[in-house]
């Protein structure tokens, strides 16, 4: 069975996110891991209301910011994927990891 490690990155800082993901891709290629991505998703814009007082009513214009997302997949190379997941990334980057098990073609389910 082959394991596929799916990495999802999100950050409000596009430059730090792009730099981090590109460095990670270069490291994975240098180590010989099969890697797909990074794939960019459209940015999400989040709007946060700002109230002038503690009760509803008077409001300032909403504060808005963008969240940028990238995703990657590492196929096989379990030891390399484990090293990647254990890395320290910038505090401004949120990372989600999902591991799937892929069975070879023709494999019967018992």
């Amino acid at each position: 069975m082959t394991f596929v490690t799916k990495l999802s990155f999100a950050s409000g800082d596009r430059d730090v996110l792009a730099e981090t993901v590109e460095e990670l891709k270069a490291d994975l290629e240098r180590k010989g891991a099969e890697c797909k991505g990074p794939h960019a998703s459209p940015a999400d814009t989040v709007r946060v209301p700002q109230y002038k007082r503690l009760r509803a009513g008077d409001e300032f214009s909403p504060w808005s910011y963008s969240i940028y997302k990238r995703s990657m997949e590492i196929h096989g190379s379990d030891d390399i994927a484990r090293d990647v997941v254990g890395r320290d990334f910038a505090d401004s980057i949120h990372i989600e990891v999902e591991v799937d098990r892929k069975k070879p073609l023709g494999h019967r389910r018992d």
Side-chain angles (χ1 to χ4, degrees):
M1 268 181 268
T2 302
F3 288 93
V4 177
T5 306
K6 297 178 183 180
L7 305 169
S8 300
F9 301 89
S11 179
D13 189 341
R14 183 187 339 195
D15 296 332
V16 170
L17 179 62
E19 181 181 327
T20 300
V21 171
E22 290 302 322
E23 286 176 6
L24 180 59
K25 170 95 174 169
D27 286 349
L28 291 171
E29 288 176 345
R30 190 177 61 245
K31 292 179 180 180
E34 183 183 342
C35 177
K36 293 186 180 180
H39 305 290
S41 299
D44 291 334
T45 301
V46 178
R47 296 192 194 308
V48 179
Q50 300 184 82
Y51 298 102
K52 292 182 179 180
R53 303 206 188 322
L54 293 177
R55 61 182 185 272
D58 277 342
E59 293 183 15
F60 293 109
S61 59
W63 175 53
S64 65
Y65 61 96
S66 297
I67 299 174
Y68 304 95
K69 298 178 182 180
R70 303 286 186 275
S71 62
M72 299 176 75
E73 292 182 0
I74 304 170
H75 293 260
S77 307
D78 303 337
D79 53 335
I80 296 172
R82 201 172 301 117
D83 290 341
V84 167
V85 172
R87 284 186 184 189
D88 286 331
F89 291 98
D91 289 338
S92 63
I93 298 177
H94 175 78
I95 302 164
E96 292 183 10
V97 179
E98 182 180 335
V99 179
D100 286 337
R101 221 171 46 185
K102 300 289 181 184
K103 295 182 180 176
L105 290 175
H107 185 306
R108 277 190 0 181
R109 190 174 188 164
D110 294 335

